[in-house]
Amino acid sequence: CSSDLVVDFFDAVTMDRPYRKALHNDTAVELLLAESGTSFDPRVVEAFLGVRAEIETIQAEYLEPSDQS
């Protein structure tokens, strides 16, 4: 499902990995927009960005205090 791709991408790039630090949410959004219409369905990206505030609220709730830099 194309919505899964967008959510998975955002989660993957905004979380720390053993080989790299997490990207800032704004950077992740820039990457999503750059790939909209090629890698991602533009309608799904638009819908995802429409609930960005809610996503960031949930994200902040589950981050460890040390991860919120």
Side-chain angles (χ1 to χ4, degrees):
C1 182
S2 44
S3 61
D4 292 344
L5 295 173
V6 171
V7 173
D8 186 54
F9 173 84
F10 189 83
D11 183 60
V13 300
T14 59
M15 302 302 277
D16 282 338
R17 300 291 183 205
Y19 50 88
R20 65 151 178 82
K21 297 294 276 176
L23 297 180
H24 189 276
N25 286 353
D26 292 338
T27 304
V29 168
E30 289 174 17
L31 292 171
L32 273 176
L33 291 171
E35 293 297 319
S36 179
T38 54
S39 298
F40 305 116
D41 182 330
R43 297 168 298 172
V44 175
V45 171
E46 183 179 341
F48 180 82
L49 295 179
V51 294
R52 180 179 175 187
E54 290 90 334
I55 291 167
E56 290 179 345
T57 298
I58 293 166
Q59 193 180 42
E61 185 177 326
Y62 288 95
L63 286 176
E64 295 293 324
S66 62
D67 294 337
Q68 296 181 10
S69 52

